[in-house]
């Protein structure tokens, strides 16, 4: 038994000291993705609503998109496309202020911030969070949540 113990201990010690290589999953996110997402949220998405551009909104939203509005009502992609067909934006100006933009290596992004809508001397703000997934090289919104709508008068 002793003659097997020393070789066994040597093999055991060598295996404990060897570094195991954990395979790295390659990132599907590029260095430009942050800028692409920022442009999408600050320029393209507002443009789709402002111009009632259902083709642009269709390109932004994934087929599995779902939204929860400030009243707690759920909507899907088809509901959003129908909504912008029927509701032209009635404001002087709008901008979206990104407060959080996280891009994960697995191709998921979080964009959270504040929307600012101006009409005459009234500013209406709301908070929103958006989840986007990179699919076949393109970012698609899969979830949005809006809350905290309030008007601020000068």
């Amino acid at each position: 038994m002793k003659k097997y113990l020393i070789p066994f201990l040597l093999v055991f010690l060598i295996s404990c000291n060897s570094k195991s290589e954990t395979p790295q999953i390659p990132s599907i996110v590029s260095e430009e993705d942050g800028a692409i997402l920022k442009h999408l949220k600050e320029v393209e998405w507002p443009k789709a609503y402002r111009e009632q551009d259902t083709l642009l909104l269709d390109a932004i939203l994934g087929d599995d998109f779902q939204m929860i509005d400030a009243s707690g009502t759920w909507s899907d992609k088809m509901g959003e496309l129908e909504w912008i067909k029927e509701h032209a934006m009635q404001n002087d100006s709008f901008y979206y202020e990104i407060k959080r933009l996280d891009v994960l290596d697995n191709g998921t992004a979080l964009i959270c911030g504040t929307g600012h809508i101006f009409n005459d001397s009234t500013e209406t703000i709301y908070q929103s969070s958006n989840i986007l997934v990179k699919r076949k090289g393109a970012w698609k919104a899969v979830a949005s949540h809006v809350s905290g709508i309030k008007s601020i008068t000068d």
Side-chain angles (χ1 to χ4, degrees):
M1 176 111 180
K2 285 185 181 182
K3 70 178 186 174
Y4 296 112
L5 184 60
I6 293 176
F8 172 76
L9 287 173
L10 285 172
V11 169
F12 177 76
L13 290 173
I14 291 171
S15 67
C16 288
N17 288 333
S18 68
K19 294 181 181 177
S20 63
E21 293 293 322
T22 305
Q24 295 294 320
I25 300 171
S27 173
I28 62 170
V29 175
S30 70
E31 290 184 25
E32 303 93 32
D33 279 317
I36 290 168
L37 288 160
K38 187 175 188 297
H39 180 78
L40 184 128
K41 186 60 185 170
E42 292 178 340
V43 178
E44 298 297 320
W45 208 326
K47 179 182 178 193
Y49 280 88
R50 181 180 62 250
E51 297 177 8
Q52 293 179 281
D53 188 339
T54 57
L55 294 176
L56 178 56
L57 189 60
D58 182 55
I60 293 169
L61 304 181
D63 290 338
D64 54 346
F65 175 79
Q66 291 191 328
M67 178 176 170
I68 305 170
D69 69 16
S71 66
T73 303
W74 284 77
S75 179
D76 61 9
K77 181 177 181 172
M78 294 310 297
E80 283 304 297
L81 293 173
E82 288 299 318
W83 190 89
I84 71 165
K85 282 183 197 176
E86 298 170 10
H87 297 90
M89 291 187 79
Q90 304 292 325
N91 57 55
D92 298 330
S93 67
F94 168 84
Y95 76 92
Y96 189 82
E97 172 190 4
I98 295 175
K99 293 184 175 179
R100 177 180 181 178
L101 173 58
D102 293 329
V103 184
L104 308 178
D105 286 341
N106 68 355
T108 304
L110 307 169
I111 304 175
C112 307
T114 305
H116 299 264
I117 303 166
F118 297 91
N119 278 316
D120 297 322
S121 62
T122 301
E123 176 185 9
T124 302
I125 63 169
Y126 67 89
Q127 307 305 314
S128 76
S129 56
N130 308 275
I131 300 171
L132 296 94
V133 177
K134 193 170 187 181
R135 296 178 174 153
K136 297 180 183 175
W139 288 99
K140 298 290 184 176
V142 297
S144 290
H145 183 260
V146 174
S147 64
I149 297 174
K150 59 184 166 183
S151 294
I152 304 165
T153 307
D154 287 339

